[in-house]
Amino acid sequence: MNKIRDRIINYFKTFDSHLAIKIVSLLGFILLLIALFTFVKIPPADNYEFSLYKTFPWYFWLLVILCVFIGQSILVFNSYLKVNIRSWVYGYLLLFLSNSILLVIPFSRYFTFGRGDVLTHIGYMLDIEKYFNIGSNHYPANHLLGSILNYYTDLGFTDIVMIIPPLFSLFFVLSWYILGKQIFKKNATNLLILSLSSILSFGMLHVLFTPFHQSTLLIPFVLYLFFRTNNTIGKYQYNYSIFSLLLITFCVFIVFYHPLTTLILIVIFLLLRFASAIQYKLLGNKELKIRMNNLVLIIFIVFSMWSSYLYIAVNKLKPIFASILGTDETHSQLEEYVSIINYSDANFYQLAEIFVFKYGVEAILGFFSIMCMIVILKAIKKRDKNIYYYHIFSIIGFALFSSFSFLILITNISFSFLRIYTYSELFSLILIPSTFYYFFIKQGKIFKKINTKQISCILLCIILILFSILSIYSLYLSPLTKTVNSQVTEAQFLGMETFYQNQNDSYNILELGISQYRYYEAIFGERYPEYNVKRPGANNLKPIEHFNYVNGTSFGTVYNDTYYFLLNDIGRNVYPEVHPEFREKWKFTPTDFDNLNYDCNIDKIYTNKELDIFIINE
């Protein structure tokens, strides 16, 4: 076996690596062209699709996965051999184009994309168009950007919310390249960073139009400006002035994007100072001169002055303190997950499948980040001179944000723990590749006769394969993640507009699969006076389970007043499409919907192919 291995190694040493990369790149671009040809052949959707992954043929996804993996392999190959050629550009371009195809799917197929917050954000942009001001909008930057695009291109807001996220996502991928050139001394480390950061591993963060998503995708570029500014101090005064101005501008810009991102950015800057101090304390080496006091002060002052940001921040943190003090009476996110698992009575295989597709990317990043933390901490203990400030910075950042996200998971704070864990993943994109490069340059043997360079390449390939698959299949919501597609059809949109123009304001509204207030805001604007529009929470907007037919009575007998009942394709088919294996737990069955047609207390007053509107007890 050793002789065979030595022959293979010698063969690759004498083989023209530049030619090999060109051949593999050519294969990748051929596969990409086939995937693109398949993509353009699929016509736009004419109805609601529960899953994008069923719409396109299986070989389309296989081709994209292969293209992504080939692109990653070219980057790793260049880093591994340290060849002094720019053939890595082929791999990077292949990744960029593969991502572009994946990101434009909603724009090429749908009327608009985003059923929840996105519809409200369309309403905010409508308000700017109507009133020429932002009103009480707490995070207007994204909406102003959309309004400017609407003004100069005449694109509708329903299209703009599908255009801006891909642009930010691709800018995010490009930002990692210029950031890596600033913080890493070796180009090989940067190539490893690109092989991991170029994957669309943040799911819906890349495809939904929300201020938090877009502001988070700007973080690598802001860090690039920060490092570029610090690296030009005392060297190039003109460049220093330009980049300082850009840095301040973008930092202030993020304040108007989202309060959570602003606070996290301040924390990241402070972590940089902390990491630099620790490196000097433990290793006696201070690579980076951090100058940030004025910058952090400017961000905090603007943050404090802007609207009611401080009140919002304090209000969001109250549940954490309430949980710690034991005064909280509501359930945490973890308790809700446990409750759902107990209710579903799912077996281990079903739970494992759901976990892999829903949180697989996060779990893989977390696991390998912890392993990398152990390696780097051992190296720090040995005073290894190959440990740099970015190793320490990424370790501290990952540990801090992971701990805080876990704290959110076990408390009842109003936003998902994944919002914070997303920033742990950002630090993972630095920690994992930089640790693997540490393995590349580390001398010695592990696992008997397998050296560190070989085992690190094998592990990195495994990570990249898993990432290529899971990131693509979790990019869009689908039954794979036990959710439904975020598509909004034109029929639903027009149907809701017709309903609001003709409804009786004195009748209450029930809904199933559709949000009455979200569509209202998207149609009329967020500030438009609400007439007979109910929001979830205090109001019970869903109909009784099985429409009360299991008790042998009429749906209408449950209510004393007259109601409208809004039903779309999601409400009608969510259980068969998303939860087919839990039939005994379905709250509504196809038979229940059939019985609506024979209920004497209910009349169907409107229908199109995506939306049915009933009136109860008129």
Side-chain angles (χ1 to χ4, degrees):
M1 289 296 294
N2 290 335
K3 290 183 178 180
I4 295 174
R5 186 192 65 184
D6 293 338
R7 286 180 181 177
I8 294 173
I9 292 173
N10 289 331
Y11 174 75
F12 279 104
K13 283 182 178 179
T14 58
F15 191 70
D16 187 344
S17 57
H18 188 41
L19 177 61
I21 291 177
K22 282 187 174 181
I23 293 172
V24 174
S25 301
L26 179 62
L27 174 62
F29 284 111
I30 291 173
L31 295 177
L32 185 67
L33 285 175
I34 298 173
L36 183 60
F37 179 73
T38 305
F39 173 75
V40 298
K41 281 180 61 180
I42 305 296
D46 57 358
N47 53 25
Y48 180 78
E49 300 172 341
F50 275 88
S51 174
L52 266 174
Y53 301 105
K54 290 183 179 179
T55 301
F56 291 86
W58 63 269
Y59 56 85
F60 168 79
W61 302 107
L62 177 61
L63 288 169
V64 175
I65 290 171
L66 289 174
C67 290
V68 170
F69 182 66
I70 289 173
Q72 294 166 327
S73 300
I74 292 171
L75 293 173
V76 174
F77 187 72
N78 274 270
S79 179
Y80 181 83
L81 293 182
K82 302 179 185 177
V83 287
N84 190 25
I85 53 177
R86 300 187 65 82
S87 55
W88 63 267
V89 175
Y90 304 139
Y92 196 45
L93 181 61
L94 193 58
L95 282 168
F96 189 85
L97 294 176
S98 300
N99 289 344
S100 300
I101 292 176
L102 292 172
L103 292 169
V104 300
I105 289 177
F107 183 73
S108 68
R109 295 191 52 74
Y110 298 149
F111 169 72
T112 194
F113 191 74
R115 296 183 301 108
D117 288 350
V118 177
L119 293 175
T120 297
H121 294 308
I122 290 176
Y124 278 119
M125 290 186 287
L126 282 173
D127 289 341
I128 294 174
E129 184 183 45
K130 288 179 183 177
Y131 307 115
F132 299 101
N133 62 67
I134 60 173
S136 59
N137 190 342
H138 296 299
Y139 26 72
N142 222 24
H143 310 125
L144 288 170
L145 181 61
S147 298
I148 292 170
L149 191 60
N150 165 261
Y151 180 81
Y152 284 104
T153 65
D154 286 332
L155 286 169
F157 293 124
T158 53
D159 290 323
I160 286 171
V161 297
M162 295 186 288
I163 293 174
I164 288 179
L167 295 177
F168 272 73
S169 180
L170 294 174
F171 183 70
F172 171 82
V173 172
L174 293 173
S175 298
W176 277 103
Y177 170 67
I178 57 177
L179 172 61
K181 287 181 70 67
Q182 290 298 314
I183 63 177
F184 301 121
K185 295 182 176 180
K186 303 290 185 180
N187 189 51
T189 314
N190 196 19
L191 295 183
L192 290 181
I193 293 283
L194 293 180
S195 69
L196 197 59
S197 62
S198 298
I199 309 173
L200 303 176
S201 57
F202 295 95
M204 297 297 285
L205 195 79
H206 292 284
V207 293
L208 281 186
F209 179 87
T210 70
F212 176 75
H213 290 180
Q214 274 73 72
S215 60
T216 299
L217 294 176
L218 287 175
I219 292 297
F221 184 70
V222 173
L223 288 177
Y224 157 74
L225 293 175
F226 175 80
F227 284 108
R228 185 63 187 267
T229 303
N230 274 269
N231 291 339
T232 55
I233 292 176
K235 298 178 181 178
Y236 312 101
Q237 188 60 38
Y238 177 76
N239 288 346
Y240 173 73
S241 301
I242 293 295
F243 284 105
S244 295
L245 181 61
L246 284 173
L247 176 61
I248 293 171
T249 301
F250 268 84
C251 287
V252 172
F253 187 55
I254 283 182
V255 173
F256 298 107
Y257 241 108
H258 202 277
L260 181 60
T261 310
T262 306
L263 291 175
I264 289 175
L265 183 62
I266 293 174
V267 172
I268 290 174
F269 285 145
L270 295 177
L271 288 180
L272 268 171
R273 169 69 65 82
F274 189 49
S276 179
I278 288 181
Q279 185 196 24
Y280 180 73
K281 181 75 173 178
L282 296 180
L283 302 176
N285 181 18
K286 196 168 186 178
E287 304 169 70
L288 186 66
K289 296 180 179 179
I290 304 293
R291 290 176 172 84
M292 65 170 65
N293 293 343
N294 293 337
L295 178 64
V296 172
L297 183 62
I298 290 171
I299 297 173
F300 186 76
I301 289 174
V302 176
F303 175 85
S304 303
M305 294 174 61
W306 173 244
S307 191
S308 54
Y309 263 8
L310 275 181
Y311 171 78
I312 294 173
V314 172
N315 205 40
K316 292 289 185 182
L317 292 174
K318 280 184 179 179
I320 293 181
F321 296 110
S323 297
I324 294 174
L325 297 173
T327 59
D328 181 28
E329 297 181 356
T330 58
H331 297 292
S332 68
Q333 295 175 45
L334 181 61
E335 289 173 327
E336 290 179 358
Y337 289 152
V338 172
S339 176
I340 292 172
I341 292 172
N342 291 334
Y343 176 78
S344 67
D345 198 26
N347 58 43
F348 177 79
Y349 173 77
Q350 291 169 332
L351 292 176
E353 183 181 16
I354 295 170
F355 179 82
V356 166
F357 283 106
K358 199 171 184 68
Y359 301 113
V361 171
E362 290 82 1
I364 292 172
L365 274 177
F367 173 78
F368 280 101
S369 294
I370 292 172
M371 295 298 102
C372 290
M373 282 177 62
I374 295 172
V375 171
I376 298 301
L377 289 175
K378 285 185 176 180
I380 292 174
K381 187 176 180 181
K382 295 177 182 179
R383 307 282 176 168
D384 194 323
K385 296 300 181 182
N386 291 313
I387 300 301
Y388 301 102
Y389 73 90
Y390 52 79
H391 291 112
I392 301 172
F393 173 56
S394 56
I395 285 176
I396 297 173
F398 175 80
L400 176 66
F401 287 108
S402 296
S403 301
F404 192 58
S405 63
F406 178 75
L407 184 62
I408 292 174
L409 178 64
I410 61 176
T411 62
N412 74 322
I413 199 165
S414 59
F415 58 83
S416 171
F417 75 97
L418 288 176
R419 282 201 175 192
I420 300 299
Y421 191 76
T422 295
Y423 287 89
S424 301
E425 295 178 84
L426 285 176
F427 284 98
S428 296
L429 297 182
I430 300 175
L431 175 60
I432 295 175
S434 60
T435 304
F436 273 96
Y437 184 74
Y438 171 77
F439 267 125
F440 279 14
I441 63 175
K442 184 73 175 174
Q443 300 298 320
K445 304 281 186 178
I446 58 174
F447 301 115
K448 296 182 179 179
K449 295 185 178 181
I450 304 177
N451 63 45
T452 55
K453 196 170 185 178
Q454 292 170 333
I455 194 66
S456 60
C457 279
I458 293 171
L459 285 174
L460 188 57
C461 286
I462 292 173
I463 294 175
L464 294 179
I465 291 172
L466 291 173
F467 255 63
S468 300
I469 297 172
L470 290 179
S471 63
I472 289 174
Y473 279 103
S474 60
L475 178 62
Y476 293 101
L477 298 180
S478 73
L480 289 173
T481 56
K482 291 303 172 187
T483 46
V484 296
N485 191 7
S486 296
Q487 173 194 2
V488 173
T489 65
E490 187 174 14
Q492 287 186 26
F493 206 86
L494 294 177
M496 289 300 293
E497 187 174 11
T498 301
F499 168 70
Y500 284 124
Q501 290 172 349
N502 296 278
Q503 69 161 326
N504 187 325
D505 294 344
S506 63
Y507 296 168
N508 290 319
I509 305 172
L510 298 174
E511 61 187 38
L512 189 60
I514 194 166
S515 173
Q516 53 183 286
Y517 90 91
R518 295 288 194 186
Y519 277 86
Y520 190 89
E521 290 178 338
I523 293 168
F524 300 106
E526 197 275 337
R527 279 191 272 169
Y528 194 80
E530 294 184 355
Y531 299 104
N532 192 33
V533 178
K534 300 295 189 298
R535 296 173 179 265
N539 302 299
N540 185 12
L541 305 179
K542 291 186 177 181
I544 189 171
E545 292 183 13
H546 299 286
F547 305 119
N548 210 38
Y549 293 134
V550 291
N551 297 322
T553 57
S554 167
F555 181 30
T557 59
V558 178
Y559 305 99
N560 296 322
D561 301 323
T562 302
Y563 281 79
Y564 290 114
F565 174 41
L566 311 177
L567 175 66
N568 66 357
D569 196 41
I570 298 175
R572 190 182 291 273
N573 297 306
V574 63
Y575 290 107
E577 291 286 343
V578 179
H579 308 287
E581 68 274 40
F582 303 115
R583 187 179 180 87
E584 67 281 1
K585 301 294 183 180
W586 291 1
K587 295 181 179 180
F588 299 95
T589 65
T591 303
D592 296 330
F593 295 109
D594 290 338
N595 288 335
L596 289 174
N597 299 319
Y598 305 105
D599 193 324
C600 60
N601 293 318
I602 300 175
D603 292 312
K604 184 184 291 186
I605 59 173
Y606 177 87
T607 185
N608 60 32
K609 59 183 179 179
E610 297 294 334
L611 178 66
D612 294 328
I613 302 176
F614 300 86
I615 192 166
I616 306 171
N617 295 335
E618 186 177 32

